[in-house]
Amino acid sequence: MQPTPEDRPITLSPSLPNPSSQPTPDKSVLQVWGNQPLSGHVTISGAKNSALVIMAGAILCSQDCRIRNVPLLADVNQMGNLLLALGIKVDRQGNCLDINAAHIAHSKAPYELVSQMRASFFVIGPLLARLGVARIPLPGGCAIGARPVDLHVRGLQAMGAEVQIDHGMVYASVRGQNKRLQGARIYLDYPSVGATETLMMAATLADGETTIENAAQEPEVVDLANFCRAMGAKIRGAGTKTIVISGVPSLHSTDYSIIPDRVEAGTFLVAGAITQSEISLSPVVPDHLTAVIAKLRAMGVQIIPDAPNRLRVVASERLSATDIKTLPYPGFPTDMQAQFMALLTLSDGDSVITETVFENRMRHVAELSRMGADIRVEGNHAIVRGVPFLSGAPVLATDLRASAALVVAALAAKGMTTIEGLHHLDRGYENLEAKLRQLGARIHRVTDGMETTSDSAARV
Ligand code: EPZ
């Protein structure tokens, strides 16, 4: 019988594809025949936005770290390849990752990996904390915005790092005898999730106490803090606007399980609502979805907590329009904006969606309009007028959450929708079409006319 990760001794060896392998251009499409209800239960995977930062956080520890409930995603593979490129041992067995950063070969993150996934920038804090030096390509912008890292840089400088940005490369180093960062009092101009996480990780091994004011309060920030505390870090206040970290000399092994993905869960709640279905999902943390649940209920969707970590969505009649404004947590999450827009295209009345977090996160509007939606964009507002139905059409995904919006729209549309640009989807959803098929959806991934599997993790 195959040993399971629990009883198998930790044999740390690279088990991820070669870091230099470029993802092949995506010729697959999703074919979706919509306008039919779903039923049954769907299992929610571990949170992508916890997994990526916690994998970087494992660099802080010079012993074995086991991370469980890691989703099989292209982005997780990318982060694994980045750790391998730094000489760190990574071994993946299904949804379980073993990482050992006892020996870090060097401090330079390869451009081709960082340019493909901005979350790679998360390694700068842990590398500075462990080695006192880090050379990370400046992450580029992406479809949804410029995505600057000035708050990360300014916070690290406040902790004593010298940072130069030259020819697209961030050179950071810590001077001084022991090459250790110094605790500092940092105020973030904006409650940036990434900057909060970078600075919290850097502070775990700094000399003295660091306070982060106006910190991000997202559940993934709390998950990272709990992971670091499990390694012996001294962190309090995660999940509030003020986080205090007392530096310690080193961190130790841990075996940690990641929280469920609240955005995947929200996406399935919307899928149930838009198809006027009754489906249940678990595991979920309802408190992580307060704003999403409140808005669904305001539209007339029933959300029933069947058990502490299980939700049931029941949507039968036509839904009422409602206004959405994205905000830092606990406000309505920007990562659910596109999926909600798809739902609002079929509600009764006019809805106004205001995107306040990213400057260019309305690119799904054009594709939803191809399906018959009535949406007008004015700056960072979208005015959505409900229509009686959507029609299947060929559409193109432009970013991760836009691709999810197109999938949920296709589930409700009359006729067939083909969705291109699946590399976006595979970054953030573990086997989405397989999960939807289990709920009765008619959805298939087709490559060169042949139906293929949806195991995105095997695709990078
Ligand atoms: C994280 O991105 C998530 N990604 C995003 O999820 C999520 O949308 C975002 O937080 C907001 O919740 C990961 O965790 C890997 P931010 P992050 O720093 O950290 C500006 C998804 O779909 N800003 O909170 O990059 C920035 O331009 C992805 O799963 C600065 O100006 O988000 C943006 O307008 C998309 N300077 C705003 O803050 C900085 O130094 C929010 O960014 C940093 C950010």
Side-chain angles (χ1 to χ4, degrees):
M1 182 175 85
Q2 279 299 325
T4 59
E6 287 70 21
D7 53 37
R8 188 176 53 77
I10 292 182
T11 53
L12 299 168
S13 58
S15 65
L16 297 162
N18 176 334
S20 61
S21 65
Q22 296 298 323
T24 51
D26 203 330
K27 299 194 295 292
S28 311
V29 296
L30 275 186
Q31 289 179 342
V32 187
W33 286 265
N35 196 29
Q36 60 182 46
L38 308 176
S39 64
H41 178 81
V42 63
T43 300
I44 300 302
S45 301
K48 165 182 83 84
N49 291 346
S50 282
L52 296 176
V53 70
I54 284 175
M55 288 170 74
I59 296 174
L60 294 166
C61 174
S62 57
Q63 299 175 2
D64 298 333
C65 280
R66 177 160 288 180
I67 307 166
R68 301 174 190 274
N69 200 28
V70 177
L72 305 180
L73 300 173
D75 273 9
V76 167
N77 273 358
Q78 283 286 70
M79 183 60 83
N81 289 334
L82 173 57
L83 297 181
L84 288 170
L86 293 170
I88 292 164
K89 289 181 177 174
V90 181
D91 185 40
R92 189 185 81 191
Q93 300 285 332
N95 296 101
C96 184
L97 268 186
D98 291 322
I99 298 175
N100 181 297
H103 304 291
I104 304 172
H106 55 84
S107 63
K108 187 172 188 306
Y111 171 75
E112 66 276 8
L113 290 176
V114 178
S115 62
Q116 287 169 29
M117 182 183 66
R118 64 181 320 285
S120 312
F121 196 71
F122 279 142
V123 301
I124 190 169
L127 285 177
L128 271 179
R130 277 287 304 279
L131 305 179
V133 64
R135 291 166 294 166
I136 317 287
L138 202 55
C142 68
I144 63 177
R147 313 293 293 274
V149 291
D150 56 310
L151 297 177
H152 302 240
V153 170
R154 288 216 301 268
L156 292 172
Q157 288 171 325
M159 296 174 73
E162 292 189 7
V163 183
Q164 277 90 32
I165 298 177
D166 185 32
H167 291 88
M169 181 70 81
V170 178
Y171 297 91
S173 59
V174 186
R175 294 281 177 260
Q177 206 58 24
N178 62 1
K179 289 195 169 185
R180 286 187 75 178
L181 292 164
Q182 300 303 307
R185 192 174 187 82
I186 300 164
Y187 175 82
L188 293 178
D189 294 346
Y190 182 90
S192 155
V193 171
T196 302
E197 293 170 338
T198 287
L199 300 174
M200 187 165 70
M201 289 190 287
T204 58
L205 296 177
D207 268 337
E209 184 173 89
T210 298
T211 300
I212 305 172
E213 304 276 12
N214 197 30
Q217 304 175 70
E218 272 71 2
E220 294 76 24
V221 173
V222 178
D223 210 14
L224 172 66
N226 290 337
F227 168 71
C228 292
R229 285 153 54 110
M231 294 193 290
K234 292 188 176 1
I235 302 172
R236 60 182 194 278
T240 74
K241 283 192 163 302
T242 302
I243 303 177
V244 181
I245 307 102
S246 304
V248 295
S250 64
L251 299 178
H252 56 68
S253 279
T254 189
D255 182 330
Y256 188 81
S257 191
I258 280 169
I259 58 172
D261 193 313
R262 61 190 168 103
V263 181
E264 183 191 15
T267 302
F268 276 101
L269 290 175
V270 169
I274 203 171
T275 55
Q276 301 189 2
S277 305
E278 176 171 347
I279 63 172
S280 65
L281 41 107
S282 70
V284 295
V285 180
D287 288 353
H288 293 171
L289 287 156
T290 304
V292 170
I293 292 170
K295 283 297 176 181
L296 286 167
R297 285 174 171 160
M299 296 177 70
V301 181
Q302 292 180 64
I303 305 289
I304 300 143
D306 275 346
N309 70 347
R310 184 187 171 107
L311 289 176
R312 184 155 48 96
V313 49
V314 182
S316 48
E317 70 284 351
R318 194 126 162 103
L319 303 173
S320 311
T322 188
D323 293 343
I324 302 285
K325 181 176 185 180
T326 67
L327 288 168
Y329 192 91
F332 188 91
T334 176
D335 293 346
M336 283 297 303
Q337 180 257 103
Q339 302 91 310
F340 245 82
M341 187 183 289
L343 179 61
L344 290 167
T345 66
L346 291 172
S347 61
D348 279 343
D350 292 356
S351 306
V352 178
I353 296 177
T354 305
E355 172 57 59
T356 73
V357 176
F358 290 107
E359 68 269 26
N360 190 31
R361 205 170 199 175
M362 297 278 187
R363 298 183 62 189
H364 40 282
V365 168
E367 298 306 303
L368 290 171
S369 302
R370 290 172 51 73
M371 300 175 72
D374 179 350
I375 309 170
R376 192 172 75 250
V377 176
E378 291 178 5
N380 67 334
H381 303 280
I383 296 89
V384 183
R385 174 153 298 172
V387 293
F389 59 87
L390 294 176
S391 304
V395 291
L396 174 68
T398 52
D399 60 81
L400 168 55
R401 305 305 174 183
S403 55
L406 294 174
V407 170
V408 297
L411 291 172
K414 293 184 176 181
M416 185 179 84
T417 299
T418 51
I419 303 172
E420 288 187 49
L422 299 188
H423 58 287
H424 293 296
L425 193 69
D426 292 340
R427 294 186 52 198
Y429 288 90
E430 184 180 32
N431 298 330
L432 181 64
E433 64 262 28
K435 292 185 179 184
L436 285 168
R437 265 203 302 278
Q438 272 181 330
L439 295 174
R442 282 187 63 195
I443 178 171
H444 301 282
R445 185 182 292 248
V446 176
T447 305
D448 294 335
M450 300 283 289
E451 188 177 335
T452 51
T453 61
S454 66
D455 179 0
S456 54
R459 294 160 52 77
V460 173

